[in-house]
Amino acid sequence: MLENITISPKGGLSGSINIPGDKSISHRSVMFASLASTPVIIKNFLYAEDCLSTVSCMQKLGAKIEKDEENNLHVLGQGLYGLKEPEDILDAGNSGTTLRLLSGILIGQPFFSVLTGDASLRSRPMARIVTPLTMMGGEIKGRQDTRYVPISIEKSKKEKINGIEYTMPMASAQVKSAILLATLFASGPSTITEPYVSRDHTELMLETFGVKVAREGTSVSISPSSQLHAPGEINVPGDISSAAFWLVGATIIPESHLTLINVGINPTRTGILDVLKEMGANISIENQRFSGAELVADLVVKSAKLKGTTIDGAIIPRLIDEIPILSVAALFADGKTIIRGAEELRVKETDRLKAVASELGKMGAIITETSDGLIIDGPQKMNFANCDSYHDHRIAMALAIAGAASLGVNIHKHNCANISYPNFFATLDSIRK
Ligand code: S3P
């Protein structure tokens, strides 16, 4: 496979795109279905590298998982207490969600397991899950004082792990979900409080599988469960984090008009829509409907002139994965865009604040990197450059849109887009005039 791709300048983006399945919901649908005891058919599952890591881990834990000719994923779990000891290490690849959510499930199991990931995941912080899961009675050991994977999870010394009341130091759906999943196997309830509400797909899926969830402000509580009640079918909405590249691309490239079909618009994920609208984007939300517990819609976006804005506070977790592409939007906007309170970006697949400033910087952009954000004064003139994705899917795709909107770009290691959006570059090619 080619190690790099060149995006040359062309006209506007037009047509309609079926947005591929949501990554967060795809992970959760396989994990939950694997813990149920009746078959579940997952439609519009995201067959991207991250979600396939989850499939492979759940298979090693005993779930029967198969894809049919229509690309539906059939999962037959062995019940909440039916997972078996894996014969080998569970490899989460590049996927933090796989690793952290699975750790929550595994501390409740009466067997030994070992989890690892690729070079990026092996350098990402794990204390954030190890601390609460250990408070629950989990027996976790890992590299460098259990701050990094590989980690091993021993059979708990107690009959059952315990629930906890836990205040998280950061807003993180992965940490929250790990504790929620562990609580299913605990002797008592848990209450988790975050500084701001992060994505709530786990809470919605718990309800879909018959578990009562209580929410108040930024807190969520659940009680242990003896059984999950599978819904039979899960229809995964399109991923707004993938749609984000087209929302920004069609906004900043003149003479664009795109329809994005079947996009998840769960309010804990729509920070990008709020920010782009505030900046002056022309986006309409059409055909709103529910897909199970998740809200979806079609989004129509046309080119528009943008102005700078400030992005901080409670909206950050609602657009955490969209900051690289929003930085590209800011380069084409009039005036200053200030992003702050986004220090979590430093511990994503790569340090995304550094990657955005350095790689867009190679294209001529002047971006000030702060400890917790970025300052971008637009509009800026961009040149063709050779850039590196840092093997981070969202950096690769943000660079592609930046190049398509200016004088082009060569992206080294562009194939990492497969981690969340396998057809991204083919789709880009097909919608350019
Ligand atoms: C995710 C949560 C977010 C997000 C990640 C997916 C999830 O991470 O960045 O891409 O599926 O729960 P944090 O919860 O660590 O912020």
Side-chain angles (χ1 to χ4, degrees), residues 23-25 27-28 97 100-101 124 128 171-175 177 198-199 201-202 320-321 344 348-349 352 393-394:
K23 183 157 79 72
S24 294
I25 300 173
H27 284 301
R28 286 157 174 83
T97 305
R100 295 193 176 116
L101 270 60
R124 294 178 65 186
R128 55 182 59 203
S172 163
Q174 294 181 353
V175 176
S177 301
S198 62
R199 65 191 66 192
H201 305 301
T202 301
I320 189 74
D321 292 337
E344 275 295 300
K348 293 294 177 191
E349 284 81 332
R352 287 184 173 158
H393 51 132
R394 302 213 194 274

Side-chain angles (χ1 to χ4, degrees), residues 90-105:
L90 299 169
D91 188 351
N94 193 247
S95 173
T97 305
T98 308
L99 198 126
R100 295 193 176 116
L101 270 60
L102 204 48
S103 301
I105 295 174

Side-chain angles (χ1 to χ4, degrees), residues 319-342:
L319 48 67
I320 189 74
D321 292 337
E322 285 67 77
I323 290 175
I325 190 63
L326 278 171
S327 306
V328 173
L331 290 171
F332 291 81
D334 274 328
K336 202 176 259 188
T337 293
I338 301 171
I339 302 168
R340 46 181 184 232

